[in-house]
Each structure stands twice: as C-alpha cells, then as structure tokens.
Amino acid sequence: MIRRSWVAAAAFGAAALTTLPASAQYADGGIKIGILTDMSGGYSDLAGRGSVTAAQLAVEDFGRPINGRKVELIFADHQNKADIASSIARRWFDTEGVDAIFDTNSSVAGLAVREVARSKGKIDINSGAGSMALTNAACSPTGAHWSWDTHSLAAGTAAALADDPKNTWFFITADYTFGHDLEAQVTRVVKAKGGTVLGSVKHPFPNPDFSSYLLQAQASGAKIIGMANAGADTINTIKQASEFGILQGGQRLGGLNIFLTDIYSVGLSAAQGMILTTGFYWDMDEQTRAFARRFGERMGGRMPTMVQAGDYSAVLHFLKAAEAAGTDDGLKVMAEMRALPIQDFFARNATLRPDGRLVHDMYLAQVKSPAESTGPWDFYKILKTIPGDQAFQPLSESTCKLVKG
C-alpha cells in the first residue's frame, strides 16, 4: 500500500485569518483530511495521484489555518478492496485524527468507507464512485456524493444513444455494484424510449481480456454495445473491440462511463465520435482552464478528470464549512456544507440535498476526431448542458431514510 503525508504548503498571513466562533472546538486542535483512492490499479489514472494533487490545490487555495493550525492532508491506496478501505478509514478516524475522507473511487471501497464514517459520525465525501446506493440505501447524515453517479450517466449518454427506438443493446458489465447499477439505469432509459436490450455479460474486475465478451456482444447483433465498466476495463474493451474489427461491422460502442484519461490511453482514432457524459471538462471556459493549467504543472502536463476536479471542489467546500461551524463535529460541519453556497468551476448551479447528493450541471460531450483536435488533451466537443435537476435522480424517488416522504 502506498501512503504519504504532508502538511499542505500554503502561505498563511495574518490578514488571511478568519475569526472563529467563540466556542470553536476541534478534537485534535485543527483539521486533517484524507484522500483514500486507487493509487496503483485500474482507476489510478482517473483518480490516484491526480486526486491528491487536486486536494492539495484546494487546501492551498483555502489559504489559511483553522483554529490556528494548518490544514493537514494525507492519502492512502485502498487497492479497490473493501477490507483495506474500511481498515484504513477506521485507523484514520480512531488513531490519526482524520476528520473527513474524500475521493474513495470504486463503489466497493466507497460503500465500505461510508459504513465506517457513519458509525464514527465522521464525514465522507465521495467523488469517485458511481453507485446509486450512496444516496439511497447507504445514505448517511455525514456523507455526500459529489461528482457523478450512474443515474447522471444514463440521463446523458444513454438518453442520447437511445433516441432511436430501433436501436438494440447488449451490455458488457463489470460484475460488482457499480456495473450492475449502471446497466440497470441505462436499461431503464432504453426501455422508456422504446429500445430493446438483447442481453448482457458480466466480467470480473479488473479484467485484461475482453475477447470472449466482445464475441458474445458481436454475435448478439445489437446495434450498441454498452460498456458498463470504467477505467482500465473500459480502455481494454475499446482497444480490443477495435482490434477485432467490431466497429467496422456496423456495431457501435456505447461509452457509458468514459473519462478524459481513457481517451488519452486509447487515442482519438479509436474513440472518435463516441458520446459521453461528464461533470467537468478542462477546456470548457477560462475558469476550468485556469485550474487545469495549475494541475498540469504538477502532473507532467496531464489534464484533470471529472473525479479530480470534483475532489478539489469537495475539499474546498468542506474546509469553508469546517471553519464556519467552529468544530469538526461531522453533523455540524455537514449542516454548514448544505447551508453555504456552492459555486466553483466544477459545481455550477449546485445544491447539496438531504440524501447527500450534490446536484449540479452535467454535460453531454462527443469525442473529437484526430483532425478536429488542435493539441494534447483537446478531446471533447461539449454538445449540451444537462441541468442538475434533469441529470440526477429526483429527491422524490430517493429511498434514503433521511428523506421525509
């Protein structure tokens, strides 16, 4: 397991100090946050070291101590395993003074951390996992789901691809909570639009060889092969589909959970024309480009993904709330997080609901062709904005026990 820690290096001038409530109470004197992510596996490109870097930038931009102490940031690798994720979370909360955990990409790890955080009354803010359970059955009074979920992907990509009711679908699905959720959400949209699902096949996570699954999808005759997976699994699916000539046969890949780093890995030639949904694109406007430039300077020129940008947004908003609350008590800080306005380059038209869902604008995008791209990381054309109230599950449909019917 990879792990490092540091005290965030920011200039703390006297002019930057904010007056705290007279009753300010922080159990360990200050605020300590943990980034629990995939540092070495299939999701490490879309999160990993980049998520740590984004969080560090947020701490620096916050730019001041809380209760007279610098904000401390640590990170660890959960290796996409529930037992490792929960063990690290428990140790951080019990013995290392961590007040909040961020990122936790991978639904398996995210749901495990959610249970630990709930039992400790601590905050967990998930920017990396997609499972709807985080704001339904596993919702928590101290938990939030920040960047995206399977409902938002279906509301964008699946809705666009399912506009033609003559389209038929076959799914290649990661065999765990996230993959099952994504397939179910997309199936709901496809059927609502009059389309047909011909079948699906489940694959283990992670998985290097998709040949047998792609052959089943090809044999189905489905017009769209829906990839209900992520990270390295999606990359391998796209590459191997191209190698087998599946697209040349007239079938189309449905990129249901595509990240910027996936396109970088497979190349524009293989991915061009693909439709996807994202909560962030680095080249959307000057705000996003300004963050991307700073991020790229520390990440060897790489541009941030939706998960990494979401981590920045979540960490910065948490710090503002922890300062305003005058305490690290999870319930009180979360109350401040809901009360304070949320508006940054990532979270636009955003509100934090009682079930923990951050509702914000999402974007339907299309991957450019090599001829359309003007330089490194110039991958997307933004087709339209999907307002948050259309992108995410309505609160009225939530099964979260914190939502009053």
Side-chain angles (χ1 to χ4, degrees):
M1 180 179 69
I2 301 172
R3 184 175 182 275
R4 301 287 187 272
S5 67
W6 67 79
V7 175
F12 299 110
L17 296 178
T18 300
T19 302
L20 291 168
S23 58
Q25 292 185 344
Y26 298 88
D28 294 287
I31 291 292
K32 187 175 185 180
I33 61 178
I35 308 301
L36 188 51
T37 187
D38 177 359
M39 296 294 295
S40 55
Y43 298 154
S44 56
D45 274 354
L46 64 90
R49 180 72 192 190
S51 289
V52 179
T53 297
Q56 186 183 20
L57 287 169
V59 173
E60 293 172 7
D61 286 352
F62 180 72
R64 54 189 178 272
I66 293 179
N67 199 36
R69 294 183 60 172
K70 295 178 182 179
V71 175
E72 188 175 356
L73 185 155
I74 65 174
F75 68 89
D77 184 356
H78 58 50
Q79 300 178 46
N80 294 306
K81 296 179 180 178
D83 57 342
I84 293 176
S86 58
S87 176
I88 293 170
R90 192 169 292 108
R91 185 181 75 244
W92 277 1
F93 289 144
D94 289 347
T95 66
E96 298 193 29
V98 169
D99 297 295
I101 293 176
F102 297 83
D103 191 84
T104 330
N105 65 310
S106 164
S107 294
V108 168
L111 290 167
V113 170
R114 170 59 55 84
E115 291 307 307
V116 176
R118 188 211 318 271
S119 70
K120 306 289 183 182
K122 297 287 189 176
I123 284 180
D124 75 287
I125 302 180
N126 197 304
S127 182
S131 175
M132 293 287 292
L134 288 164
T135 50
N136 283 301
C139 71
S140 166
T142 55
H145 202 180
W146 207 259
S147 295
W148 64 284
D149 59 26
T150 56
H151 189 285
S152 65
L153 300 184
T157 308
L161 293 175
D163 267 345
D164 183 353
K166 294 180 182 179
N167 279 342
T168 52
W169 290 68
F170 187 94
F171 292 98
I172 296 178
T173 301
D175 193 13
Y176 74 107
T177 303
F178 155 71
H180 300 168
D181 275 2
L182 184 52
E183 181 181 329
Q185 291 295 326
V186 174
T187 297
R188 173 183 58 82
V189 172
V190 169
K191 291 184 175 179
K193 288 180 172 285
T196 304
V197 175
L198 299 180
S200 70
V201 62
K202 307 295 191 294
H203 69 79
F205 165 75
N207 185 58
D209 184 5
F210 284 83
S211 55
S212 64
Y213 308 115
L214 285 164
L215 289 173
Q216 290 180 64
Q218 185 178 44
S220 75
K223 292 184 178 180
I224 297 176
I225 301 172
M227 298 180 293
N229 50 24
D233 285 339
T234 297
I235 292 168
N236 287 333
T237 305
I238 296 171
K239 286 182 176 179
Q240 290 169 32
S242 179
E243 291 168 2
F244 294 161
I246 288 177
L247 303 186
Q248 290 85 339
Q251 290 178 296
R252 183 178 184 182
L253 290 179
L256 304 177
N257 188 31
I258 299 290
F259 290 89
L260 192 74
T261 45
D262 301 336
I263 307 303
Y264 180 82
S265 294
V266 302
L268 289 177
S269 294
Q272 61 183 310
M274 194 171 291
I275 301 295
L276 59 96
T277 303
T278 185
F280 170 84
Y281 180 49
W282 72 269
D283 198 23
M284 198 163 63
D285 58 29
E286 187 48 45
Q287 277 188 299
T288 58
R289 286 189 286 271
F291 172 70
R293 282 192 294 269
R294 297 171 60 210
F295 180 93
E297 287 171 359
R298 302 192 186 190
M299 291 293 297
R302 297 175 71 86
M303 292 294 99
T305 66
M306 166 174 58
V307 169
Q308 293 156 349
D311 282 324
Y312 173 97
S313 173
V315 169
L316 184 59
H317 190 65
F318 164 79
L319 292 175
K320 292 175 181 178
E323 179 185 59
T327 178
D328 56 6
D329 178 270
L331 288 173
K332 293 178 180 178
V333 174
M334 186 58 72
E336 286 289 344
M337 291 188 71
R338 292 194 177 96
L340 291 174
I342 308 169
Q343 186 72 22
D344 55 47
F345 67 80
F346 173 85
R348 305 188 185 200
N349 304 308
T351 56
L352 185 57
R353 298 192 318 203
D355 61 349
R357 175 70 261 166
L358 181 74
V359 176
H360 57 89
D361 291 346
M362 297 285 288
Y363 308 96
L364 187 70
Q366 185 174 34
V367 179
K368 292 182 176 182
S369 69
E372 291 173 314
S373 178
T374 59
W377 299 94
D378 179 27
F379 295 160
Y380 294 171
K381 293 182 289 187
I382 301 298
L383 302 180
K384 71 173 184 178
T385 298
I386 308 169
D389 60 358
Q390 297 176 26
F392 295 99
Q393 174 182 263
L395 192 59
S396 60
E397 295 179 9
S398 175
T399 60
C400 173
K401 58 189 176 184
L402 302 173
V403 178
K404 296 180 180 178

